[in-house]
């Protein structure tokens, strides 16, 4: 919906799997100021997830979530602009997975697993700054993003991303991306817990651990016409965990290795307008 100097939008999204069902309603809009050089945007969402466990018909949990975001985009010059974004999300209910288990060790070094026990509320905060500019001498567009995140579970992270995009004539484009992600663990995360005194909460979710992540990618595009192009994509991705282990054989838990995930991603696609 277009209004004078702005827009309004709304959507309903439903997703269903055999053990996970999600419904969400979103609404948002934007308002332009100062001859469209300043744009203020906002979004609200409200959703509910239903979590089940395959093979366990009695397992039925729900998780409610609300999201609020506000953004400000400011044109700085004819070749640059800056964008600020704040996002707040509240989750309440079952915020775990029935398929993951936390590792427990007793005084004799014997290891067992138990279902995760997470807090029933989680408040998430994210603040991002994005700066776009075009270098006329290099004929290259640059996009620099820095995103800070923290939540009520004690997780803190920082994401730095740089994208470069350059046209070589009318029919060839090259895009590059570099991304670095650093995270500090949740306050209750441990690679394994003491069976005698595990604390109030425990988890088997490695994404709540301390780790770094790196990504480098390249995407060449051939433009046949203004309405049709094909592209290739290659990305190298790695996660290096500082204190998350692969339990493997529970009988040899003390020799478990720290987790490191590496992936090479290849893609081929096309863009077409009809």
């Amino acid at each position: 919906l277009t209004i004078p100097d702005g827009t309004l939008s709304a959507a309903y999204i439903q997703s269903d799997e055999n053990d996970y069902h999600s419904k969400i309603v979103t609404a948002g809009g934007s308002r332009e100021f100062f001859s469209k050089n300043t744009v203020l945007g906002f979004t609200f969402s409200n959703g509910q997830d239903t979590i089940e466990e395959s093979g366990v018909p009695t397992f039925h949990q729900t998780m409610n979530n609300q999201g609020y975001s506000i953004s400000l985009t400011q044109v700085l010059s004819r070749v640059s602009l800056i964008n600020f974004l704040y996002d707040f999300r509240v989750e309440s209910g079952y915020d775990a997975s029935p398929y993951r288990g936390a590792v427990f060790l007793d005084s004799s070094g014997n290891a067992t697993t138990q279902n995760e026990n997470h807090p029933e509320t989680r408040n998430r905060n994210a603040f991002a700054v994005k700066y776009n500019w075009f270098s006329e001498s290099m004929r290259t567009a640059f996009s620099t993003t820095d995103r800070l995140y923290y939540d009520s579970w004690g997780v803190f992270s920082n994401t730095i991303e740089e994208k470069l995009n350059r046209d070589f004539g009318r029919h060839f484009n090259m895009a590059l991306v570099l991304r670095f992600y650093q995270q500090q663990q949740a306050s209750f995360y441990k690679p394994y817990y003491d069976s005698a005194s595990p604390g109030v909460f425990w988890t088997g979710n490695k994404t709540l651990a301390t780790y770094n992540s790196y990504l480098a990618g390249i995407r060449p595009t051939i433009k046949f016409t203004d309405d049709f192009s094909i592209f290739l994509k290659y990305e190298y991705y790695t996660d290096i965990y500082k204190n998350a282990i692969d339990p493997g054989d529970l009988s040899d838990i003390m020799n478990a290795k720290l987790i490191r995930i590496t992936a090479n991603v290849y893609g081929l696609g096309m863009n077409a307008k009809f």
Side-chain angles (χ1 to χ4, degrees):
L1 175 64
T2 301
I3 60 175
D5 297 322
T7 61
L8 292 174
S9 63
Y12 171 78
I13 302 170
Q14 181 170 331
S15 174
D16 292 290
E17 302 176 26
N18 64 319
D19 58 356
Y20 203 100
H21 310 277
S22 177
K23 299 177 181 179
I24 185 169
V25 176
T26 66
S30 64
R31 180 71 164 82
E32 299 171 341
F33 302 91
F34 310 117
S35 301
K36 300 184 180 181
N37 288 319
T38 303
V39 180
L40 182 66
F42 66 93
T43 304
F44 166 77
S45 66
N46 184 72
Q48 182 181 73
D49 298 342
T50 301
I51 303 98
E52 300 172 349
E53 183 178 358
S54 296
V56 185
T58 58
F59 187 90
H60 183 90
Q61 299 285 347
T62 60
M63 193 269 284
N64 298 311
N65 59 84
Q66 294 84 38
Y68 312 85
S69 67
I70 185 169
S71 65
L72 175 67
T73 302
Q74 177 63 52
V75 175
L76 302 177
S77 70
R78 66 185 183 87
V79 295
S80 65
L81 62 84
I82 193 168
N83 174 258
F84 300 92
L85 172 69
Y86 173 69
D87 185 78
F88 178 67
R89 177 181 169 92
V90 180
E91 299 173 352
S92 59
Y94 183 78
D95 203 350
S97 170
Y99 303 109
R100 283 193 304 258
V103 177
F104 284 73
L105 284 180
D106 63 20
S107 57
S108 301
N110 299 314
T112 57
T113 61
Q114 294 187 28
N115 291 339
E116 292 182 323
N117 180 30
H118 286 181
E120 292 188 354
T121 60
R122 188 178 189 181
N123 298 333
R124 300 171 178 257
N125 299 268
F127 178 77
V129 179
K130 184 176 182 180
Y131 177 63
N132 293 347
W133 68 285
F134 179 76
S135 172
E136 295 177 300
S137 61
M138 299 176 62
R139 297 173 56 195
T140 302
F142 295 84
S143 178
T144 305
T145 304
D146 189 6
R147 179 180 183 270
L148 296 174
Y149 167 91
Y150 69 94
D151 64 31
S152 57
W153 290 7
V155 177
F156 175 82
S157 70
N158 185 28
T159 306
I160 300 173
E161 181 180 82
E162 182 67 40
K163 292 181 178 179
L164 291 78
N165 197 299
R166 190 181 193 278
D167 286 327
F168 295 85
R170 294 183 57 190
H171 300 290
F172 186 72
N173 173 274
M174 180 68 73
L176 303 174
V177 59
L178 298 171
R179 183 185 305 135
F180 170 69
Y181 176 84
Q182 184 178 42
Q183 176 177 295
Q184 296 298 316
Q185 69 178 52
S187 58
F188 58 89
Y189 177 85
K190 295 179 182 179
Y192 44 79
Y193 297 81
D194 184 349
S195 296
S197 55
V200 179
F201 304 112
W202 49 86
T203 183
N205 188 355
K206 66 180 182 296
T207 64
L208 296 178
T210 297
Y211 71 100
N212 295 339
S213 177
Y214 306 87
L215 181 144
I218 184 170
R219 176 172 163 160
T221 301
I222 299 175
K223 300 178 181 178
F224 294 94
T225 69
D226 290 339
D227 296 330
F228 181 75
S229 63
I230 63 172
F231 64 88
L232 299 172
K233 181 179 75 171
Y234 169 72
E235 291 179 347
Y236 173 81
Y237 176 83
T238 184
D239 287 337
I240 303 174
Y241 288 85
K242 306 298 183 180
N243 59 348
I245 61 171
D246 181 1
D249 183 1
L250 291 178
S251 64
D252 194 29
I253 190 68
M254 300 309 296
N255 293 317
K257 306 270 188 193
L258 290 175
I259 296 175
R260 178 166 181 163
I261 300 173
T262 300
N264 293 281
V265 181
Y266 303 89
L268 171 64
M270 74 172 186
N271 294 313
K273 295 180 182 178
F274 300 97

